[in-house]
Amino acid sequence: IFPTSSYSAAIAFTGTYGINYGRIANNIPSPDEVVKLLKSAKIKNVRIYDADHAVLNAFRGSGLELVIGLPNENVKEMSSSPDRARGWVRDNVNSFLPDTNIVGIAVGNEVLGGGDSDLAGSLLGALKNIHNATKELGIHPSVQISTAHSQAVFSNSFPPSSCVFRDGILQLMKPLLEFFSEVGSPFCLNAYPFLAYTYDPDKIDINYALFQPATGIYDDKTKLSYDNLLDAQIDAAYAALESAGFGEMEVVVTETGWASHGDQNEAAATSTNARTYHYNLRKRLALRKGTPMRPGSVLKAYVFALFNENLKPGAGSERFYGLFKANGTASYDIGFRGLSSSSSSSS
């Protein structure tokens, strides 16, 4: 029997910068073209929201590291049936390894705090059944199991040190966090300074949201200063984890981004602001440093998103988060080369 300290958990994120490859669109480049685009941009860490076989095949032999998603609509079925979970992992993960480098499975997205209590109640069972399936298939040392949370799971996130999990969510969150501590998975957070600013433009300085020089905030309780909103959002998550008894758990940002266009009430959604946010975020992540509350834990983030997705429902901004336009050219210049127009016009 080995001491637990020698147990090495699966790591799904090498480096500090990743991207979400959403595909709610009918005009974006083919998965093969996407692999070329990601390689030319030198983006190695990629998340998708399902386990589409055309994408998994396109990624074969690419060396890119892929986290696949089990969609919310499959969570209840995986929770109620270990056999279904085993079948899903066998067909969508095991049968593509090792040629397609699947390093993680995200079970559901923003389930807690989303208002569907049946779904929320099924999440832990689905996570456990999927994890057990990876163990039975012998792939658990290299495939990390996680689920991403929105900021709707928190209450009092200002100042960061006062943040706790919402009352109705804590009793579901605690067993999840226990499970993640056991398997060595991080707390995955979707954090959007853009949304925080859009909901509260009178209280938040846009420069603070964009990593630009700003007064920032000072947290009296911890005596820590914040010069950007993303760090404050992440430290709020650390404070909530600590208050729930999980102060050792790492927070990984699984989505963050800034829309380049939006509805009339989304005045901050401009390509200038989106470029500023993403350019400064890349610089911030390249420093390989932590947050004020966790200076020793290097910040890692997946940006949202690879493309503008023309079929996304919701506010206008939802369709304009892409670093790249549907034709594969850059939405704005932050140093990534897009696909040349000749190669993308055929897609």
Side-chain angles (χ1 to χ4, degrees):
I1 294 176
F2 294 101
T4 48
S5 59
S6 72
Y7 168 70
S8 89
I11 302 293
F13 201 157
T14 50
T16 60
Y17 190 93
I19 201 159
N20 287 278
Y21 167 23
R23 303 191 323 283
I24 305 177
N26 59 6
N27 58 353
I28 57 177
S30 70
D32 291 323
E33 293 269 74
V34 168
V35 169
K36 279 183 214 156
L37 177 62
L38 291 165
K39 289 177 97 165
S40 85
K42 297 191 165 60
I43 301 176
K44 188 178 180 187
N45 299 288
V46 187
R47 289 172 68 89
I48 59 174
Y49 292 89
D50 54 21
D52 186 280
H53 287 196
V55 175
L56 300 186
N57 280 317
F59 274 68
R60 273 183 199 274
S62 67
L64 300 171
E65 300 187 352
L66 192 60
V67 174
I68 64 171
L70 174 82
N72 286 0
E73 57 263 27
N74 300 119
V75 165
K76 289 181 196 174
E77 148 192 36
M78 297 304 152
S79 182
S80 60
S81 168
D83 286 349
R84 288 275 172 82
R86 196 179 306 111
W88 191 90
V89 172
R90 188 187 59 233
D91 297 346
N92 298 299
V93 185
N94 207 41
S95 61
F96 289 90
L97 293 172
D99 301 349
T100 299
N101 195 4
I102 298 170
V103 295
I105 304 169
V107 176
N109 186 45
E110 301 190 346
V111 170
L112 298 190
D116 181 337
S117 56
D118 280 356
L119 182 62
S122 305
L123 181 59
L124 182 59
L127 283 160
K128 286 184 167 171
N129 284 342
I130 293 287
H131 181 252
N132 289 338
T134 65
K135 277 173 88 166
E136 285 169 31
L137 292 160
I139 57 176
H140 62 289
S142 57
V143 180
Q144 186 183 78
I145 309 295
S146 64
T147 190
H149 301 287
S150 76
Q151 288 171 299
V153 299
F154 302 127
S155 152
N156 319 326
S157 54
F158 181 85
S161 62
S162 66
C163 187
V164 290
F165 289 110
R166 274 181 28 210
D167 278 352
I169 282 174
L170 187 61
Q171 65 267 37
L172 288 169
M173 186 64 83
K174 268 199 152 163
L176 275 189
L177 297 174
E178 271 154 25
F179 168 72
F180 286 135
S181 325
E182 276 164 37
V183 300
S185 291
F187 182 85
C188 293
L189 177 67
N190 296 345
Y192 285 94
F194 166 71
L195 295 177
Y197 175 79
T198 298
Y199 296 145
D200 212 351
D202 299 335
K203 286 219 184 82
I204 296 174
D205 175 357
I206 192 160
N207 290 315
Y208 175 64
L210 290 170
F211 303 95
Q212 296 284 75
T215 315
I217 67 160
Y218 178 73
D219 190 326
D220 266 337
K221 185 175 154 194
T222 55
K223 308 284 185 265
L224 295 172
S225 297
Y226 290 86
D227 59 9
N228 71 81
L229 179 51
L230 183 67
D231 276 6
Q233 289 180 328
I234 295 161
D235 276 358
Y238 276 123
L241 286 167
E242 203 163 289
S243 77
F246 297 88
E248 300 297 297
M249 190 172 284
E250 180 190 13
V251 173
V252 169
V253 176
T254 33
E255 287 181 18
T256 188
W258 197 286
S260 60
H261 187 72
D263 295 332
Q264 270 188 323
N265 63 346
E266 300 179 300
T270 66
S271 57
T272 305
N273 287 344
R275 181 193 175 276
T276 301
Y277 184 80
H278 281 285
Y279 179 79
N280 288 334
L281 175 66
R282 264 190 93 185
K283 278 202 317 195
R284 162 74 184 85
L285 294 170
L287 295 172
R288 306 186 66 86
K289 69 179 187 114
T291 58
M293 212 181 266
R294 291 285 186 278
S297 186
V298 175
L299 178 59
K300 304 168 178 176
Y302 292 89
V303 303
F304 186 86
L306 188 54
F307 297 112
N308 288 335
E309 296 172 75
N310 66 334
L311 301 179
K312 279 203 85 171
S317 58
E318 289 289 341
R319 295 176 282 289
F320 291 95
Y321 274 98
L323 296 188
F324 297 92
K325 297 176 180 167
N327 65 6
T329 61
S331 298
Y332 35 79
D333 179 19
I334 59 165
F336 290 134
R337 275 212 321 276
L339 290 167
S340 67
S341 49
S342 60
S343 68
S344 61
S345 56
S346 59
S347 60

